[in-house]
Amino acid sequence: MAYPYDIYQLNENQEVEGKVGWRCPSNIAIVKYWGKHGQQLPNNASLSFTLSNAHTDTYISYKSHSKNAVSISFLFEGIENPAFASKIEKYLENISAHMPIVKQLHFDIESTNSFPHSSGIASSASSMAAISMCLSNIESDLFSLPQDTKFIEKASYLARLGSGSASRSLIGGVSVWGEHSEIAASSNLHAIKINDTHEVFNTYHDDILIVSAHEKPVSSTAGHALMNNNVYANPRYEQANKRVIELLSILKSGDVHAFGKLAEDEAMTLHALMMCSDPSYVLMEPGTLDMIREIRAYRAASGVPVFFTLDAGPNIHLLYPDDVKSEVEIFINNSLMQYTAKGVIIKDKIGNGPQKLV
Ligand code: PMV
């Protein structure tokens, strides 16, 4: 598919240098993206809440060079990280046809995460979003482009090429990624913002209860690929597109129970798809199931609208509105803490999206 934005490059021997920095949050999908085709194009629309506390800070210092090749240094948490560096080099190579400056500039990149790297929290969404914002910012500085909605859209497009779910981290609040016949302006190429939501959802918490910090036995990339031969794939894509529409209407109405039910149904569907892939695999751990049972029993007994979702991993994301915060805190301490790995909980909330640092 043709690149939908203008392409900018420096003149030969043009000397430039500068520094940019962005903080970008992670996001949690309520309707999941699972299955893709082509160049990181989703097989269904997905909808997520952008978070705030789980974020990546990335600074890029740039200087022109005459090599016409990707050239970077990369420090993660202040330490050289060759594995991450080579991922970034591949990514820059990959987008260089769209953004030739990535070969005309040398980049010194420094990145830190607000959450522990070994916590089991995927950092690809926030880290690819932060790099993409920095690159879009460098381009807009060098070519005097406005930092408007097109600027964010382009950053979302670029982030998508690094990690699909990262495309949704560039936009605060609620975002949808994936073309949908009933959602105006929706696109497979970048995420869009959803504005029309009830105020209760601006107060939402996502407490991430770490069940295991071990590396996943099956990566997201391998998981997406297994959807290609999954016999339930097509009904699943239809279901997800239907659920996005249902969810948009729930988000308008403010029905927190309907919201939570849909979130749990999606989490269970995602993991069921993994369990019926060929080969099948399980990412939930015993502690995940123990917590699911506890959450459902507590909710049935108390009526408190606390629900869970899961990413492609064993950790529980506890979703609830702010007005039940104190009850939920007691519930976590009394009933869920025992199943966490060393009591690690990352307390997050729905957030406003990227923040410029430099
Ligand atoms: O962006 P990826 O390729 O890491 O895929 C992420 C998929 C899920 O996190 C499981 C769901 C989603 O929509 O974020």
Side-chain angles (χ1 to χ4, degrees), residues 29 32-34 124 163-165 168 220 224 270 311-312:
K32 313 288 182 181
Y33 143 65
W34 200 238
S124 64
S163 157
S165 56
R168 298 183 310 239
S220 278
H224 284 290
L270 173 69
D311 240 331

Side-chain angles (χ1 to χ4, degrees), residues 5 19 30 32 58 63 70 88-89 92 95 102 104 153 185 279-280 300 313 333-334 340:
Y5 309 103
K19 183 172 182 174
I30 309 300
K32 313 288 182 181
T58 296
K63 197 172 181 354
V70 169
I88 294 171
E89 278 164 354
L92 294 175
I95 63 165
V102 303
Q104 297 183 299
E153 187 188 297
S280 65
N333 288 332
N334 290 348
T340 60

